Amino acid sequence: MGWTKYQLMLAAMMLITGSINTLSAKWADYFSAPGCNNSPVHTFSHPFVQAVGMFLGELSCLAVFYIALCQDRRRPEPKMNPGQSFNPILFLPPALCDMTATSLMYVALNMTSASSFQMLRGAVIIFTGLLSVAFLGRRLVASQWVGILITILGLLVVGLADFVSGKRDDSHKLSDVITGDLLIIMAQIIAAVQMVLEEKFVYKHDVHPLRAVGTEGLFGFVILSILLVPMFYIPVGSFSNNPRQVLEDALDAFCQIGHQPLIILALLGNTVSIAFFNFAGISVTKEISATTRMVLDSLRTVVIWAVSLALGWEQFHGLQVLGFIILLVGAALYNGLHHPLLARMFPSRYGQNQENSSERERLLSGEQDGSINQQS
């Protein structure tokens, strides 16, 4: 059965907005402008300000949820399930994880290429699988363990590609590239903790996905906005690229935006795209399947890579192709994409396992992906 026009629109929206999300964040990093107090021209390096914008995009999902709920209640026969009542504090721990992981990833994006950034985010499979076994008592099947091992191999290949390209690429220092890659891996560990916390404490309350995304966005936006104040006074030396060499100089960011208005376009692209990306991802899982969502997310990496090459942001490296293919195979095995293929090839042996595979897919990545932020 073919896809409906609505399903095609959702798939296209997820692919396009997901790609815009990372590309707009990277585009902002390429701008240079003077800062406050006539400081010299310097690059726009404000990862925490960008993270605040991302959480603002997530927060908008909460507004969308309540608008949709009000419209649904005006109908003669309401169809929307708002979920059970819950204590919003349940979302604080995963929101803190989301905030930390997102901030680390925006710092890393300033140090490495957009394509490597997107590929290395595949490491979340490894840590989510291991943590779900350790803390949720989940039993992974053999293909998922193989998928984790293949994903590790793919990460090593991508890391090697960055190491080789870092020696030849003047746009990023080798030390910055390696540090950025390590920060991305560290962020995926924290993101995996977020997913486990969401499953353990949040999903049992039957929270609507848009409400879950928006509530985490609310916590992240408020807390990180407050933290921008002490960050303004914390010196970090050469680790920071802003003139005052503090952890985050939000005033400098606004001054640069005043001198180069296109920066606000990049930041708005990031904020708006994350809102539509979350909505599209939730809808794709509901209307089509979680497997389709995973495939579209992998295609997003290809789009980001192609656009980065076309814009001259990075050079082509064959090792990256190999690494991406390996990561794709690992993700496919972990998410069970091989089951439909085996069922067609050996229907008598594997056909009877399709119902169980679909249920496992739903539990592993379907209902839970609703409030897991996949920004950038």
Side-chain angles (χ1 to χ4, degrees), residues 2 7 10 27 115 140 144 149 153 172 186 198 212 220 246 254 271 310 335 348 362 365:
Q7 290 173 331
L10 290 174
W27 185 35
S115 61
L140 302 183
Q144 290 177 311
L149 293 175
L153 177 62
H172 296 101
M186 187 184 303
E198 286 174 331
V246 292
F254 291 122
T271 299
N335 287 280
S348 60
R362 183 185 67 80
S365 44

Side-chain angles (χ1 to χ4, degrees), residues 124-161:
V124 72
I125 288 176
I126 301 170
F127 306 112
T128 302
L130 296 177
L131 289 173
S132 65
V133 171
F135 296 102
L136 300 178
R138 175 173 294 158
R139 295 181 62 183
L140 302 183
V141 298
S143 60
Q144 290 177 311
W145 286 113
V146 173
I148 287 175
L149 293 175
I150 292 177
T151 300
I152 293 174
L153 177 62
L155 294 174
L156 291 175
V157 173
V158 173
L160 179 61

